[in-house]
């Protein structure tokens, strides 16, 4: 095993952090969604790594389910964005602040 | 002889209670939808059936030998808490039978009378609901076999008196009178409930039979515990029976409908105190001090109330003070040890006082609501039957033989003379004189002399309908013959009630009094009554200008008496005003400033915190996300550092 | 050695593309970068002997899901002003987020390097997997051990489809008013 599995995990952590920062600094709801996808991919990588490390198939199955959830989430999320755009004519999350006092 | 319901009617004693309760429930829940004749029928039938059962119970009880005439029936354990146990049970003995007969009998007549009297009232069903509940409470009071259950009846009676006195609650004075009755009664009830607690602490039980059996062992005669218990009980009796110093509610209770006054004064409510004292005679006998207090208060009230009655002009108020006075008589008898005499007077008083009240109600009814005697007069020819029955009642209360009041009152005076001393006898005799005087004053002013009615009223004067007259006639007959229950030397009631009175104390000892003394006493008391009547005749028939002259001559005294010795004003100044003052202080300072201040401060603090914290609610989603991330990082740092 | 080289190259590409996703102004570029990120990750999955997942990653993620994204971007057809938005309401947000992100990287790095994993316990070593075939194993697991979650996932997808239609369709009733 040439590449230590820890490296994969560190890579996963870096990707996750980048995704998090992306969620925080972007104002475009679409890009925020993409950042979330990025975070999910980082998690998938960690799962596959653990699966490899444990010689088990369960991690890969989990990745499969995460993809399912991600697909569902992306579809519903994008539908929300469309509905939102239709009502407010913007997808800038800073302009969507009717929930404040 | 058996009946279809069981071995004995004694087993069915609860029916006496259940009929009025059923009447209450039917009228209370359905009365609004039923028409008046059905409501009235249900109300009367409930009490009437109760009376019938009571009669059969009496007959069954008479079949037993005098020593065994006690029947107790426990229904269920009402409260069981540690050593404390209250059983919902009824007790039938001669005393309670006499009471239930009076309550249901006189009560029934008053119910019948009410049908006619209240017929125009819109809240007819409400009236009968209360009336039945009132009777139920009183029956519970007299049938209970322990102090707590008795207290429930006691409170129920108080509640119903409040409801009925304030029946016409649209009238401010009526609702005020209701509240007054309720509050003054509370003072007495406070004493009663303390007495119950003390009885439980002393004897470990509140069951009548057990307490009275245990009393001679637990208590010394004349011990302070006995005195405190009996005094506290007597405070309750004073409140309920309207004695000095708690009598002030009773005259005001005249604001209620007249049949209610009759019910309160004759059959229920005020007699409760006398009943309770007689029921607890074993305890009272153990405390000579309390006995003296009872006698003094009774005698003083008898005289005091009678003197106020002399100058009142409201026909019902005269009767109200007369009731206070007569109850005072009963307590005088009890205080002197003549418990049976007290009960005897209670019974005869129930007859003639109900008669007088219903008669006055008939007069008021006939005059279209007029209660002031100065605006009556010469009603004799307009209302002959009311007049005759009222006259009989007046003779009875004045103590003219052979009417009911004569025997009982005479016996009390005899008791006072033989057991007490001349002081008590003097009190009683003077009160008797005043009674005869003010009652005939009332009779003369109302029915004799010249008519002082206004033209308008006079045109409408009419004799009352049959439903009103029938009870009057029955009660008049009872007022004539009722006294023979306690005919000297062969007193039926003495013999019947004797087992109730504790051992070693034989109710009335008038048996042992020489017949000479007895007959001379009779003569004296009749003489006193006649003197009173003659005085009244002189002042109100032959020389009508005399009362005014006397009033002018003794203006000071007259004014004091006319204003009822200013007792209401004194109470107002000593109790009501300070209470109001303290309450105002508590309200405006303690409650509004301090307590509300705390509550408001907590509220304001919350609002303030919210004002500060809401700044964090920017509505910017990314800010929230940043917070989430910050939290997550803190958790990771913690897990690195501490795990 | 080739494996290590491949890993280093792929991970660098992945990180670079991820940064591109986050910092690109134009969402279309972001989407393209994201696709590249996913494809690189698929290569890493292959390195980890998860061939089926790698294939799904390319087909479903990089293919289907990202197509929806691009589709929505085009559907909304945002012009430059709308993309820029008004002035930034939270000037401190960006530096704070970047600092926190760096801290997060460090923390995760510390956690990962310090973590001790128990030895391999599963029966599916790379040799076994190569022998039987990764796809066959995944299929067997899905229809035996994970059959219930698999069915539930189908319900989830169905609900998502319905939800998306309900949310995104024009609100006819409202417009008629």
């Amino acid at each position: 095993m040439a590449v230590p599995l820890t490296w994969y995990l560190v890579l996963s952590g870096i990707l996750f952090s980048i995704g998090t920062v992306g969620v925080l600094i972007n104002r475009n709801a679409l890009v925020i969604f993409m950042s979330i996808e990025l975070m999910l991919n980082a998690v998938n990588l960690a799962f596959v790594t653990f699966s490899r490390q444990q010689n088990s198939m369960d991690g890969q199955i989990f990745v499969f389910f995460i993809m399912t959830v991600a697909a569902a989430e992306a579809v519903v999320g994008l539908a929300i964005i469309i509905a939102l755009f239709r009502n407010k004519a913007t997808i800038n999350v800073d302009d969507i602040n009717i929930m404040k006092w | 002889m058996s009946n279809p319901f069981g071995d004995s009617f004694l087993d069915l004693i609860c029916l006496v209670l259940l009929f009025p309760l059923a009447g209450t429930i039917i009228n209370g829940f359905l009365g609004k939808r039923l028409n008046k004749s059905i409501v009235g029928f249900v109300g009367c039938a409930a009490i009437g059936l109760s009376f019938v059962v009571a009669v059969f119970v009496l007959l069954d009880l008479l079949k037993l030998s005098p020593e065994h005439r006690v029947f107790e029936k426990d229904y269920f354990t009402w409260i069981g808490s540690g050593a404390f146990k209250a059983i919902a049970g009824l007790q039938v003995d001669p005393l309670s039978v006499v009471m239930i007969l009076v309550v249901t009998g006189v009560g029934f007549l008053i119910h019948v009378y009410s049908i006619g009297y209240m017929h125009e009232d819109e809240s007819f069903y409400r009236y009968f609901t209360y009336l039945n509940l009132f009777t139920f409470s009183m029956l519970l009071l007299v049938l209970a076999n322990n102090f707590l259950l008795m207290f429930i009846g006691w409170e129920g009676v108080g509640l119903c008196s409040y409801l009925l006195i304030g029946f016409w609650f649209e009238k401010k004075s009526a609702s005020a009178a209701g509240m007054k009755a309720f509050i003054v009664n509370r003072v007495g009830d406070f004493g009663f409930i303390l007495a119950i607690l003390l009885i439980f602490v002393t004897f470990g039980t509140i069951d009548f039979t057990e307490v009275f059996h245990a009393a001679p062992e637990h208590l010394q005669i004349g011990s302070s515990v006995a005195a405190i218990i009996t005094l506290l009980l007597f405070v309750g009796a004073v409140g309920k029976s309207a004695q000095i110093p708690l009598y002030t509610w009773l005259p005001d209770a005249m604001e209620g409908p007249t049949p209610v006054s009759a019910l309160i004064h004759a059959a229920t409510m005020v007699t409760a105190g006398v009943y309770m004292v007689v029921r607890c005679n074993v305890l009272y006998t153990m405390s000579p001090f309390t006995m003296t207090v009872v006698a003094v208060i009774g005698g003083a009230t008898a005289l005091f109330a009678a003197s106020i009655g002399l100058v009142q002009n409201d026909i019902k108020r005269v009767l109200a003070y007369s009731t206070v006075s007569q109850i005072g008589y009963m307590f005088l008898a009890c205080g002197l040890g003549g418990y049976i005499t007290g009960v005897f007077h209670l019974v005869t008083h129930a007859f003639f006082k109900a008669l007088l009240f219903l008669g006055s109600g008939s007069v008021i009814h006939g005059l279209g609501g007029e209660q002031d005697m100065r605006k009556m007069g010469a009603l004799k020819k307009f209302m002959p039957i009311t007049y005759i029955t009222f006259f009989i009642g007046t003779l009875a209360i004045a103590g003219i033989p052979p009417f009911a009041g004569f025997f009982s009152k005479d016996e009390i005076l005899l008791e006072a003379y033989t057991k007490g001393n001349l002081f008590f006898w003097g009190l009683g005799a003077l009160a008797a004189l005043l009674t005869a005087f003010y009652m005939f004053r009332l009779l003369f002013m109302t029915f004799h002399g010249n008519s002082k009615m206004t033209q308008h009223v006079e045109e409408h004067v009419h004799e009352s309908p049959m439903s009103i007259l029938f009870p009057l006639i029955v009660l008049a007959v009872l007022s004539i013959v009722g006294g023979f229950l306690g005919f000297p030397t062969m007193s039926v009631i003495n013999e019947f009630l004797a087992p109730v009175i504790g051992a070693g104390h034989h109710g009335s000892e008038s048996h042992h009094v020489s017949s000479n003394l007895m007959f001379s006493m009779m003569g004296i008391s009749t003489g006193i009554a006649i003197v009173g009547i003659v005085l009244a005749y002189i002042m109100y028939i032959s020389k009508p200008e005399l009362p005014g002259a006397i009033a002018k001559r003794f203006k000071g005294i007259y004014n004091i008496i006319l204003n009822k010795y200013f007792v209401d004003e004194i109470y107002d100044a000593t109790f009501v005003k300070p209470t109001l003052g303290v309450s105002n202080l508590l309200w405006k300072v303690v409650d509004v400033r301090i307590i509300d201040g705390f509550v408001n401060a907590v509220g304001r603090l919350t609002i303030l915190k919210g004002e500060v914290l809401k700044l964090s609610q920017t509505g910017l989603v990314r800010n929230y996300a940043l917070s989430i991330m910050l939290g997550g990082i803190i958790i990771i740092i913690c897990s690195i550092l501490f795990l | 050695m080739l494996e290590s080289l491949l890993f280093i190259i792929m991970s660098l590409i992945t990180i670079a593309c991820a940064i591109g996703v986050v910092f690109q102004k134009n969402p279309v570029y972001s989407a393209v970068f994201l696709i590249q990120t996913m494809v690189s990750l698929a290569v890493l999955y292959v390195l980890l002997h998860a061939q089926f997942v790698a294939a799904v990653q390319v087909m479903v993620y990089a293919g289907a899901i990202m197509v929806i994204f691009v589709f929505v971007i085009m559907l909304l057809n945002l012009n430059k002003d709308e993309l820029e938005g008004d002035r930034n309401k939270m000037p401190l947000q960006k530096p704070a987020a970047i600092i926190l992100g760096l801290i997060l990287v460090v923390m995760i790095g510390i956690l990962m390097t310090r973590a001790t994993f128990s030895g391999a316990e599963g029966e599916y070593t790379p040799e076994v997997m190569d022998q039987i075939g990764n796809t066959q194993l995944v299929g067997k697991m899905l229809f035996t051990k994970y059959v219930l979650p698999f069915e539930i996932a189908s319900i989830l997808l169905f609900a998502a489809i319905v939800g998306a239609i309900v949310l995104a369709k024009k609100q006819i009733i409202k417009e008629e008013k």
Side-chain angles (χ1 to χ4, degrees):
Chain A
M1 194 182 300
V3 184
L5 291 176
T6 312
W7 292 14
Y8 286 96
L9 294 177
V10 171
L11 175 63
S12 160
I14 292 168
L15 285 179
F16 188 84
S17 303
I18 293 171
T20 316
V21 172
V23 169
L24 293 181
I25 67 174
N26 275 297
R27 281 174 284 165
N28 187 328
L30 275 168
V31 181
I32 289 177
F33 248 94
M34 289 183 210
S35 303
I36 292 171
E37 296 296 336
L38 200 56
M39 291 161 78
L40 281 167
N41 270 293
V43 172
N44 280 353
L45 180 60
F47 263 116
V48 175
T49 311
F50 287 130
S51 167
R52 171 76 190 81
Q53 196 263 337
Q54 295 283 331
N55 283 340
S56 156
M57 286 301 291
D58 295 333
Q60 296 186 24
I61 304 294
F62 262 89
V63 170
F64 183 77
F65 285 125
I66 288 172
M67 283 182 187
T68 317
V69 173
E73 175 242 317
V75 166
V76 175
L78 290 169
I80 290 172
I81 287 174
I82 289 170
L84 199 62
F85 185 74
R86 215 174 261 151
N87 283 324
K88 307 270 291 186
T90 181
I91 52 167
N92 186 335
V93 288
D94 285 3
D95 294 340
I96 304 159
N97 55 2
I98 50 168
M99 266 169 68
K100 79 180 196 181
W101 42 277
Chain B
M1 191 168 62
S2 65
N3 64 64
F5 306 108
D7 291 337
S8 154
F9 272 100
L10 291 174
D11 284 324
L12 296 172
I13 186 66
C14 65
L15 283 181
V16 174
L17 282 176
L18 290 181
F19 282 127
L21 189 62
T24 307
I25 291 168
I26 293 172
N27 277 342
F29 288 104
L30 305 174
K32 205 167 186 175
R33 274 171 230 134
L34 301 175
N35 71 31
K36 283 186 178 177
S37 54
I38 296 177
V39 169
F41 176 76
V42 168
C44 293
I47 309 300
L49 286 169
S50 204
F51 177 69
V52 171
V53 176
V55 169
F56 279 110
V57 166
L58 172 72
L59 294 177
D60 268 4
L61 203 64
L62 284 174
K63 278 185 282 188
L64 302 168
S65 63
E67 305 82 58
H68 296 104
R69 281 176 189 165
V70 179
F71 173 81
E72 278 194 60
K73 193 167 169 104
D74 290 344
Y75 289 96
F76 56 90
T77 303
W78 173 35
I79 299 173
S81 170
F84 183 81
K85 201 168 168 201
I87 287 174
L90 302 181
Q91 177 176 12
V92 183
D93 65 356
L95 179 58
S96 52
V97 166
V98 168
M99 289 302 293
I100 60 173
L101 282 171
V102 171
V103 172
T104 54
V106 176
F108 174 67
L109 293 172
I110 292 170
H111 275 68
V112 172
Y113 179 92
S114 299
I115 294 179
Y117 193 83
M118 300 297 290
H119 202 263
E120 304 304 316
D121 204 281
E122 280 175 19
S123 306
F124 193 68
Y125 73 96
R126 188 163 61 91
Y127 176 82
F128 270 94
T129 307
Y130 293 164
L131 220 53
N132 277 1
L133 188 62
F134 204 160
T135 315
F136 166 76
S137 304
M138 188 66 191
L139 290 169
L140 184 66
L141 195 161
V142 297
L143 283 172
N145 76 343
N146 62 62
F147 280 101
L148 202 60
L149 198 60
M150 184 186 190
F151 188 69
I152 297 300
W154 189 271
E155 287 298 316
V157 168
L159 168 71
C160 293
S161 71
Y162 163 74
L163 293 172
L164 283 168
I165 292 168
F167 182 73
W168 288 317
F169 54 80
E170 304 93 342
K171 214 164 70 177
K172 195 161 188 331
S173 60
S175 60
M179 282 188 265
K180 186 173 181 181
F182 200 65
I183 291 167
V184 173
N185 264 299
R186 284 285 80 58
V187 179
D189 296 344
F190 178 64
F192 192 16
I193 203 159
L194 282 181
I196 295 174
L197 290 175
L198 194 57
I199 285 169
F200 177 70
V201 169
T202 312
F203 299 103
T205 174
I206 52 167
D207 189 84
F208 284 145
T209 322
E210 289 171 25
V211 168
F212 299 147
H213 272 296
E217 298 158 21
H218 275 69
L219 297 174
Q220 304 265 292
I221 288 184
S223 70
S224 55
V225 176
I228 292 169
I229 289 177
T230 48
L231 277 176
L232 286 171
L233 284 174
F234 186 59
V235 169
V238 162
K240 193 99 339 191
S241 293
Q243 297 296 290
I244 293 174
L246 300 178
Y247 70 90
T248 51
W249 66 269
L250 194 58
D252 285 16
M254 294 303 111
E255 292 290 344
T258 307
V260 172
S261 306
L263 194 62
I264 289 177
H265 287 248
T268 59
M269 188 91 183
V270 294
T271 55
V274 180
Y275 165 78
M276 193 255 274
V277 170
V278 177
R279 171 62 75 204
C280 304
N281 66 77
V282 178
L283 297 174
Y284 277 90
T285 309
M286 300 188 76
S287 172
F289 173 70
T290 313
M291 295 289 273
T292 315
V293 172
V294 173
V296 168
I297 287 196
T301 310
L303 188 59
F304 182 78
S307 70
I308 298 177
L310 290 179
V311 296
Q312 295 299 314
N313 289 319
D314 184 316
I315 185 168
K316 282 174 76 183
R317 271 181 191 270
V318 175
L319 292 172
Y321 281 106
S322 138
T323 303
V324 176
S325 169
Q326 296 301 313
I327 304 281
Y329 257 111
M330 296 173 206
F331 278 115
L332 178 64
C334 293
L336 294 170
Y339 300 111
I340 294 174
T341 317
V343 174
F344 179 37
H345 195 55
L346 189 159
V347 173
T348 56
H349 175 254
F351 296 152
F352 60 69
K353 189 46 66 66
L355 171 59
L356 289 171
F357 261 114
L358 297 184
S360 75
S362 171
V363 168
I364 294 165
H365 191 72
L367 293 180
E370 184 57 60
Q371 301 196 8
D372 194 331
M373 292 192 293
R374 285 169 300 189
K375 294 178 184 158
M376 298 178 186
L379 288 175
K380 190 163 61 169
K381 60 177 183 284
F382 296 108
M383 314 175 92
I385 299 177
T386 305
Y387 169 68
I388 292 167
T389 52
F390 203 88
F391 187 58
I392 291 168
T394 312
L395 286 175
I397 194 172
I400 300 295
F403 297 99
F406 165 73
F407 294 100
S408 54
K409 196 179 279 188
D410 179 57
E411 212 168 303
I412 291 173
L413 289 177
L414 190 65
E415 196 97 36
Y417 186 76
T418 51
K419 291 246 198 73
N421 46 41
L422 274 177
F423 170 67
F424 286 128
W425 182 83
L427 273 182
L430 192 52
L433 175 70
L434 295 179
T435 305
F437 177 79
Y438 68 67
M439 282 313 298
F440 273 89
R441 169 177 173 267
L442 181 138
L443 187 76
F444 292 147
M445 283 177 84
T446 310
F447 292 99
H448 292 259
N450 301 321
S451 168
K452 297 173 210 68
M453 293 177 284
T454 58
Q455 193 66 32
H456 176 74
V457 173
E458 194 159 348
E459 280 167 13
H460 291 87
V461 172
H462 57 87
E463 182 61 291
S464 302
M466 202 50 213
S467 65
I468 288 183
L469 292 179
F470 166 72
L472 289 180
I473 295 165
V474 175
L475 284 168
V477 172
L478 284 171
S479 295
I480 297 171
V481 301
F484 293 98
L485 278 174
F487 195 79
T489 70
M490 40 184 266
S491 170
V492 178
I493 197 161
N494 259 352
E495 217 171 284
F496 184 59
L497 285 176
V500 178
I501 307 305
H505 188 92
H506 294 288
S508 170
E509 288 172 24
S510 56
H511 300 283
H512 315 297
V513 177
S514 72
S515 51
N516 268 344
L517 178 63
M518 208 160 74
F519 285 114
S520 54
M521 289 301 295
M522 280 185 177
I524 291 171
S525 54
T526 313
I528 289 168
I530 289 171
V531 169
I533 295 167
V534 169
L535 272 176
Y537 184 80
I538 294 169
M539 285 177 72
Y540 292 96
I541 299 287
S542 54
K543 291 184 178 160
E545 71 284 355
L546 206 56
I550 294 173
K552 217 166 253 170
R553 182 87 185 278
F554 302 99
K555 204 168 171 144
I557 298 172
Y558 176 77
N559 266 333
I560 290 174
I561 298 178
L562 188 66
N563 288 300
K564 300 158 247 167
Y565 296 98
F566 296 105
V567 170
D568 274 331
E569 285 76 8
I570 292 169
Y571 283 178
D572 199 48
T574 51
F575 296 113
V576 179
K577 286 265 167 61
T579 309
L580 278 177
V582 172
S583 305
N584 260 328
L585 188 78
L586 288 175
W587 163 37
K588 284 182 177 153
V589 177
V590 176
D591 198 57
V592 172
R593 297 259 171 81
I594 298 174
I595 295 174
D596 285 6
F598 270 115
V599 176
N600 288 340
V602 170
R604 287 213 191 93
L605 199 65
T606 313
I607 291 172
L608 203 68
K609 280 192 294 186
E611 287 289 336
V612 173
L613 283 176
K614 83 175 181 186
L615 297 178
S616 68
Q617 299 289 310
T618 54
L620 298 169
V621 187
R622 295 190 297 148
N623 245 339
Y624 304 160
L626 192 70
S627 312
I628 295 171
M629 187 181 175
L630 197 61
I633 287 175
I634 289 170
I635 289 172
I636 293 174
I637 290 174
C638 287
S639 66
I640 287 172
L641 291 180
F642 301 115
L643 290 179
Chain C
M1 213 49 221
L2 183 69
E3 209 184 320
S4 298
L5 197 67
L6 202 58
F7 172 80
I8 291 166
I9 292 167
M10 279 304 148
S11 53
L12 286 177
I13 291 173
T14 313
I15 292 168
C17 290
I19 291 171
V21 171
V22 169
F23 289 97
Q24 265 300 325
K25 286 264 183 280
N26 194 327
V28 180
Y29 293 162
S30 292
V32 173
F33 275 120
L34 189 56
I35 292 168
Q36 179 52 47
T37 312
M38 285 164 177
V39 172
S40 332
L41 276 174
V43 176
L44 290 175
Y45 291 160
V46 174
L47 285 181
L48 288 168
H49 297 266
Q51 293 91 344
F52 178 71
V53 174
V56 172
Q57 171 88 358
V58 173
M59 285 192 284
V60 175
Y61 243 133
I65 294 179
M66 288 321 293
V67 165
I68 304 175
F69 268 92
V70 177
F71 186 70
V72 171
I73 292 166
M74 295 194 313
L75 185 72
L76 298 181
N77 192 22
L78 300 164
N79 58 36
K80 204 161 165 53
D81 288 348
E82 279 165 343
L83 288 173
E84 296 287 310
D86 308 334
R87 61 176 186 82
N88 196 344
K89 284 181 185 169
M90 294 172 288
L92 286 176
Q93 178 84 11
K94 199 163 182 174
I98 290 170
I99 291 166
L100 281 178
L102 289 174
I103 295 173
L104 190 63
V105 170
V106 174
M107 290 302 151
I108 293 175
I110 292 172
L111 270 181
M112 290 304 172
T113 47
R114 278 174 65 189
T116 51
F117 300 105
S118 56
E121 283 158 3
E123 47 188 318
Y124 302 108
T125 57
E127 292 73 36
V128 175
M129 259 196 276
D130 288 342
Q131 203 178 356
I132 301 174
N134 178 261
T135 310
Q136 193 180 344
L137 280 172
V138 170
K140 209 175 111 189
M141 291 285 271
L142 274 182
F143 290 102
T144 52
K145 190 177 173 187
Y146 289 99
V147 67
L148 186 64
F150 182 74
E151 295 299 334
I152 291 171
S154 68
I155 295 170
L156 175 72
L157 283 171
F158 177 66
I161 292 165
V162 174
I165 293 169
V166 169
L167 281 169
K169 75 167 185 183
K170 285 195 175 175
Q171 295 187 331
I172 299 158
I173 303 166
K174 200 174 177 182
E175 280 171 8
E176 274 176 359
K177 269 184 187 171

